[in-house]
Amino acid sequence: MPAYKAPLRDTRFLMNEVFDYPAHYAGLANGKDADPETVGAILEACAQFCEQTLSPLNLSGDQEGCTLKDGKVTTPKGFKEAYEEFVAGGWQGLSHPTEYGGQGLPMSLGLIKSEMMGTANWSFTMYPGLSLGAMNTILQHASQELKDLYMPALTEGRWGGTMCLTEPQCGTDLGQVKTKAEPNADGSYRISGTKIFISSGDHDLTENIVHIVLARLPDAPAGTRGISLFIVPKIKVKADGSLDGSNNVVCSALEHKMGIRASATAVLNFEESTGYLIAEPNKGLEAMFTFMNTARIGTAVQGVAHAELSFQGALAYAKERRSMRALSGKKEPEKVADAIIHHADVRRMLMTQKAFAEGGRAMIYFAAQYSDHMVNGILENDAKKYKEWDDKLGFFTPILKGFLTEMGLESANLGMQVFGGHGYIKEHGMEQIARDARISTLYEGTTGIQALDLLGRKVLLTTRGKCVREFTATIAKFAVDHLRNPKLRRYATDLGRYAAEWNLLTMRLMLSARKDRDVVSAASHHFLMYSGYVMMAYFWALQASVANDKLAHGGSEKPEFYKAKLAMARFYFDHLLPRAKGHASSMIKPSKTLTKLPVEHFVFE
Amino acid sequence: MPAYKAPLRDTRFLMNEVFDYPAHYAGLANGKDADPETVGAILEACAQFCEQTLSPLNLSGDQEGCTLKDGKVTTPKGFKEAYEEFVAGGWQGLSHPTEYGGQGLPMSLGLIKSEMMGTANWSFTMYPGLSLGAMNTILQHASQELKDLYMPALTEGRWGGTMCLTEPQCGTDLGQVKTKAEPNADGSYRISGTKIFISSGDHDLTENIVHIVLARLPDAPAGTRGISLFIVPKIKVKADGSLDGSNNVVCSALEHKMGIRASATAVLNFEESTGYLIAEPNKGLEAMFTFMNTARIGTAVQGVAHAELSFQGALAYAKERRSMRALSGKKEPEKVADAIIHHADVRRMLMTQKAFAEGGRAMIYFAAQYSDHMVNGILENDAKKYKEWDDKLGFFTPILKGFLTEMGLESANLGMQVFGGHGYIKEHGMEQIARDARISTLYEGTTGIQALDLLGRKVLLTTRGKCVREFTATIAKFAVDHLRNPKLRRYATDLGRYAAEWNLLTMRLMLSARKDRDVVSAASHHFLMYSGYVMMAYFWALQASVANDKLAHGGSEKPEFYKAKLAMARFYFDHLLPRAKGHASSMIKPSKTLTKLPVEHFVFE
């Protein structure tokens, strides 16, 4: 397994040189304490925890997996100690309110923390990650009494949390949820039903686990309009916060999964478990989705994480494995053969991984500032501000989640490819990265769902193309601003063309979708991927322009770093961006290409 | 795990309606017995064996894996009985000479047999598959004495075989092989060294295992020109063919692999094992590669196999799983939701799988006829004929192996994607297909090696573009012939353009590679993928033209089958072929985009 090294130079480049995080934090209500010195110290401490504690547990965690015995779930060796270190470091409450014991820092810092942790050990990171989902939901929708009861232990990390949505018959289509909630005399509810695929659904890391559960009230309307949201603790909690015995939440099985094997994925049976309603009755789904954008961007991080880790492993191997000679002549004549990094096609694979890791990181660090503003809207009780930024973020969410996880999966597979046959052997850890990455395009809404969300909801329904027009205006402005710079002209020219084309394609789809609703589903995948490639192109050009500036104006930093950024931008535009051409062509093909073949004619015997 | 159903209708379509196998077989020296009735009976019997015996062992084989205990390797439960059934059916010798007990039928039938077997259970199929490699090498290069001694038991399947190339320090770069062969007084050799990644290297299916081993003679020149080829049996063989005790071939470990877990991948230590030289001294590498084209096409089959199996699983699930409503309105209003096959994006995934499975099958069945001619060259002792057809095949080999295995991997991943989160769970068997498929782009020459072989060797070095000119001439002729047919015009137009572009791109690369050798490696991946997409487009258009003919002229077969072929051709041209655009654009970018970044600037800390 590659030993993880946090890419702090790239993080600092993005935060300080590209996106001016110091100014961004200075402008936030909760950003005053996030001064550059504090942020720097947090990043260093987080890197150390990830490199020294989490990374060494990644391979062993996969090999051992989680076990369920006598109703108890045990995480792999070392996870409990690592989690204790995580709690002691105060990491869980980094971006959560000080009134519950958190550090009250901006949301984006929490995202950067989870990027590092997730790269070092994605399975481990899912435990506190799911707790964050529960915490955000409770903070936003629960009564003060419930917040006071649950938030301190969750913020500390002493308790964990989950999100219980999926049932055997439904995942995406939550209108089919069957779990029941029947009222008790004291205002609480009896929750009964089976939930599957519950990440961190049971484990031995925390004293208690707080489940956020979707269920139906007795008189609820059918479908999505009849779903309510409940807090259901694994162990009952007394009014003073102390624990009060089992709440009949039974972990009946752990799923046997392709990857993320150190993350316990549970089947949970709620057997008249006591639950507490949060949010309004029958409005559970909306409430559950309040923090969906941030949750999905948290999953988008997985794409960057696996691209980065697989790149680090493949790069180390490519420098030491010797095979054949470079076509342009021996690079290491004194050795038996050249290191494979001297072969252009191996470089293509490594640079693809690096381009997706660093390009994706830039996209996420950009969007993370929007989520900071959104959270500030909540903190300031400013519903308009909240909605404005949540809507802005909503355009990025499906692109980041859908596109970056697909690219993370590709990058993880390229890392195996650099290793050749050795990539297939478990001991090297490269195949684990590919197995771990494989879940990222499936959960938190499949890529297909992200594509529908982007084209159907965000572009066509909600904004009638405005979100595309706004973002392409940003791209076009960049293009105009840099067209006269010989070092950047090439990027400016390409971006100008793609910005125009993206708008044009959007327009065409809007028009044809009016007559033919199937267009939306038929075009959605290609539209998503196209959007991803073009958006990432902008963020590579932006990095190139900053690097170009720094090279022109000197400074104390190594010029090689900036030259590498320029080389990577060129690589992205030469070898990855052209993939958008195929998607552009396919998205405007008639929907009947997909819909016409009768179901019974897919196979013949 | 999807229960495999052999796609016999498609096999018959390709053999009888598209490629006229009856006429092809009638023209072969060894094809007289392959009359339509015999072939039909063989296909039926093979399908039955695959569906009833091999398919049910696929999931359990993966779960159990192989074990090494006290020096003995045990295959999963049921494998030995299935192998006995395979031997009893005479399947191993299907395409091998009657003089050694085979059925003497054309090579292509063997390939179609292994396609069915491999789709049902790839891990199982590797055991007899490796034996075929050993058999072909012995047949072509060993003395009559060695042939008489080894071929009958191998042809029967009573003994197995392997190919021992890879060592810890080298896989692709076999010039680094260190295994030694020291002469004995009796003309045999003492073989000493370690071989890794030996598929079927040890197991309990056969009485003996015949290893084909690359090793160096004491006075051998360094590098690839000093490698010789040996037969090294696991158990010594007496002159009468009976077994004679251990030959010191020690299986010291089984690799822990991502997939194909029921296939035993061994580390073999040869400890002064007795070996017998075949082929000329120091010419071992050339001899080993005699049947490389057929071996690689045998691996290309894996792409088709996994695309097919994953398609079958995903299709069944897409018909039964219900989620949401089709965008154009309810398709199954009486149900709680529509089956997901009614969503256009789900269809896009299923049709992608189907397009790669059926398009790839067509490519393989076409190339298989070339391999029949090549074998006939050998049978007729006609070196010129052999070389002519082997060279023709040589153009298809890297495209089929490189492109189809990548598409098989993509298809296997799409199958998981159709299942959503359930695709990630082991019990459904969909993730196993993705893990099994993952090896196919790594062994038998990685995709990168196929790409170099295609562009560097086949196109630029050996034929100076002639192979591309010849194949695109075939495409162009098809385009001209069908341009006036309104049902086929669209395919003809697109193909005409791509044929011209393929030639143009080849020419540009030839010119720029003269000045810059790195161009070959830098462009090779994109050239391979481009070639694959365009070649498959031709084979889809060809199927469409046959289907169109059959629809126009009636006949006894169901018209729906042909209509589905037309729908699939349209899908391929609308949604998959446009990917070639990106590759076309990237392959002509300067090589320095890849080569310029200094090795030490790939990361900064």
Side-chain angles (χ1 to χ4, degrees), chain A residues 264-441:
Chain A
T265 308
V267 177
L268 292 184
N269 297 325
F270 294 86
E271 300 171 352
E272 303 211 327
S273 311
T274 304
Y276 305 91
L277 182 71
I278 56 177
E280 283 177 57
N282 300 331
K283 303 265 183 172
L285 219 50
E286 290 157 55
M288 176 68 101
F289 285 146
T290 307
F291 270 83
M292 194 190 62
N293 283 327
T294 40
R296 288 188 165 173
I297 289 176
T299 310
V301 165
Q302 195 175 354
V304 172
H306 293 313
E308 174 70 35
L309 187 62
S310 187
F311 168 67
Q312 293 192 10
L315 178 63
Y317 188 76
K319 286 178 177 177
E320 86 196 10
R321 175 76 174 182
R322 299 183 184 286
S323 184
M324 317 298 279
R325 294 296 183 183
L327 292 184
S328 52
K330 294 182 184 181
K331 302 295 175 201
E332 299 171 295
E334 76 289 359
K335 306 280 187 175
V336 61
D338 290 337
I340 60 174
I341 196 170
H342 294 295
H343 299 304
D345 188 59
V346 171
R347 287 174 159 251
R348 181 190 58 80
M349 296 192 276
L350 292 169
M351 290 170 89
T352 301
Q353 297 182 292
K354 185 175 163 72
F356 287 139
E358 295 180 7
R361 186 174 295 123
M363 287 161 76
I364 286 172
Y365 285 26
F366 175 82
Q369 295 192 342
Y370 282 18
S371 73
D372 285 341
H373 290 302
M374 180 203 79
V375 169
N376 268 243
I378 297 174
L379 294 175
E380 294 161 11
N381 256 319
D382 183 341
K384 190 163 158 272
K385 179 172 181 178
Y386 161 79
K387 194 175 173 331
E388 179 196 335
W389 288 99
D390 196 46
D391 282 352
K392 275 178 191 276
L393 193 60
F395 171 61
F396 288 88
T397 303
I399 300 178
L400 268 55
K401 200 288 182 180
F403 177 73
L404 293 182
T405 58
E406 292 286 345
M407 298 308 109
L409 181 56
E410 176 180 335
S411 301
N413 275 302
L414 284 175
M416 289 180 67
Q417 201 68 24
V418 170
F419 269 69
H422 294 272
Y424 204 61
I425 306 301
K426 287 188 172 287
E427 282 78 352
H428 297 293
M430 297 303 286
E431 63 85 42
Q432 181 194 338
I433 306 175
R435 286 187 288 106
D436 287 354
R438 190 65 193 83
I439 189 62
S440 64
T441 68

Side-chain angles (χ1 to χ4, degrees), chain A residues 13-14 18-19 358-367 370 396 400 471 474-475 478 495 532-546 565 569 572-573:
Chain A
F13 172 68
L14 293 173
V18 180
F19 298 123
E358 295 180 7
R361 186 174 295 123
M363 287 161 76
I364 286 172
Y365 285 26
F366 175 82
Y370 282 18
F396 288 88
L400 268 55
F471 189 71
T474 308
I475 299 182
F478 178 93
L495 282 175
Y533 284 116
V534 178
M535 182 179 276
M536 189 180 270
Y538 167 70
F539 283 102
W540 265 115
L542 187 63
Q543 292 183 74
S545 74
V546 172
K565 281 286 178 191
Y572 184 85
F573 275 72

Side-chain angles (χ1 to χ4, degrees), chain A residues 57-231:
Chain A
L57 296 174
N58 199 21
L59 184 63
S60 59
D62 176 71
Q63 286 169 341
E64 193 180 334
C66 295
T67 48
L68 170 64
K69 205 178 158 187
D70 304 330
K72 288 198 166 184
V73 174
T74 308
T75 55
K77 195 162 168 283
F79 270 50
K80 199 162 165 50
E81 293 74 14
Y83 188 78
E84 281 163 12
E85 194 183 332
F86 171 82
V87 170
W91 290 110
Q92 185 67 303
L94 188 71
S95 301
H96 281 79
T98 49
E99 60 183 299
Y100 302 117
Q103 297 187 47
L105 292 164
M107 175 77 95
S108 54
L109 262 184
L111 211 61
I112 293 166
K113 166 197 80 180
S114 66
E115 180 215 328
M116 284 199 227
M117 288 178 54
T119 312
N121 193 325
W122 191 264
S123 282
F124 178 91
T125 307
M126 287 185 67
Y127 293 102
L130 269 292
S131 301
L132 290 175
M135 285 157 71
N136 287 337
T137 311
I138 292 171
L139 259 184
Q140 182 76 339
H141 299 289
S143 66
Q144 192 59 47
E145 190 187 345
L146 288 169
K147 283 194 227 180
D148 290 342
L149 198 55
Y150 287 96
M151 282 304 295
L154 281 166
T155 306
E156 184 185 342
R158 193 156 39 87
W159 296 355
T162 76
M163 307 294 274
C164 298
L165 290 75
T166 305
E167 298 185 3
Q169 75 286 358
C170 66
T172 297
D173 190 0
L174 291 168
Q176 295 184 47
V177 157
K178 286 179 183 167
T179 296
K180 282 181 196 164
E182 293 166 300
N184 293 320
D186 67 353
S188 67
Y189 292 82
R190 296 187 304 282
I191 311 291
S192 305
T194 298
K195 295 286 181 178
I196 65 167
F197 296 171
I198 306 308
S199 299
S200 319
D202 205 357
H203 56 77
D204 56 356
L205 300 182
T206 55
E207 294 169 8
N208 199 4
I209 301 175
V210 182
H211 304 290
I212 306 291
V213 182
L214 288 182
R216 280 185 188 286
L217 294 170
D219 54 352
T224 52
R225 286 177 200 152
I227 293 175
S228 304
L229 199 56
F230 300 86
I231 292 181

